[in-house]
Amino acid sequence: MITVGGLALVTTGGPITELIAPSLVHVVHGVAALLVVFGLYDPVRNDLRTVEWSQVLLSDPVKLRHSAGWMTPMDDEILGMFYDTDLILSPSIIAFNTGYSKKEVNRRLIKLEKHRLVERIERGKYRLTKFGEEYLLGHQPEDVGTTDDVGVPK
């Protein structure tokens, strides 16, 4: 609740303060930031609440990196599975764990392979490439968004 209060203060209190007393805007934003931090940190148990932080920061990977225009939210979820497991995966395993159909997953894997984010090891088995890791870590590879639908550089 403290975190939500901090977010509410920044979104509503900031603009109102800017209209009424512009000199106090920084104070309001500072208090809001403290509320957010204390909402995600429990000083009594010295607990950083890492689960809550990860939900805020990593629940939607699109917020952290710029996806290419051809990418879908499903692509980030598929790439995340490879990164989290560091395994070679099949479309069936990915479909089972994400809730998407095997056909959808297979179609997206083919697209991701064309853009060099995953590589096919053998029929029906894929793994994340170094290029894909760079993308997931937020180091926007230069040409992730500069290829057309068939993977040919523009």
Side-chain angles (χ1 to χ4, degrees):
M1 288 302 285
I2 294 172
T3 303
V4 172
L7 293 172
L9 182 61
V10 113
T11 57
T12 58
I16 292 171
T17 304
E18 193 169 337
L19 291 173
I20 298 171
S23 62
L24 297 177
V25 169
H26 296 296
V27 173
V28 170
H29 286 161
V31 170
L34 284 173
L35 288 173
V36 169
V37 168
F38 283 126
L40 296 173
Y41 173 73
D42 183 2
V44 174
R45 289 185 283 146
N46 194 24
D47 180 18
L48 286 176
R49 299 184 187 178
T50 53
V51 172
E52 289 84 354
W53 274 107
S54 66
Q55 286 174 347
V56 167
L57 296 174
L58 302 175
S59 63
D60 188 1
V62 175
K63 292 178 183 174
L64 298 177
R65 60 184 163 267
H66 299 288
S67 298
W70 57 268
M71 294 183 81
T72 67
M74 182 179 172
D75 294 334
D76 273 316
E77 198 169 338
I78 290 171
L79 291 171
M81 280 201 60
F82 281 105
Y83 187 76
D84 292 341
T85 62
D86 197 29
L87 296 172
I88 294 171
L89 300 173
S90 70
S92 298
I93 296 295
I94 295 169
F96 180 80
N97 287 293
T98 60
Y100 295 111
S101 75
K102 181 181 169 187
K103 185 177 179 179
E104 287 176 300
V105 169
N106 198 42
R107 192 170 47 246
R108 296 315 303 168
L109 282 169
I110 290 168
K111 179 78 84 169
L112 292 168
E113 181 187 16
K114 286 179 181 177
H115 290 277
R116 300 185 348 252
L117 295 168
V118 298
E119 65 181 327
R120 191 173 83 159
I121 303 305
E122 60 182 58
R123 186 172 185 228
K125 295 182 179 143
Y126 295 84
R127 75 172 159 209
L128 188 65
T129 63
K130 290 290 181 195
F131 188 72
E133 278 184 52
E134 286 179 30
Y135 167 75
L136 287 172
L137 292 172
H139 308 125
Q140 183 71 29
E142 294 172 7
D143 58 351
V144 77
T146 59
T147 55
D148 62 16
D149 284 345
V150 293
V152 179
K154 290 182 179 176

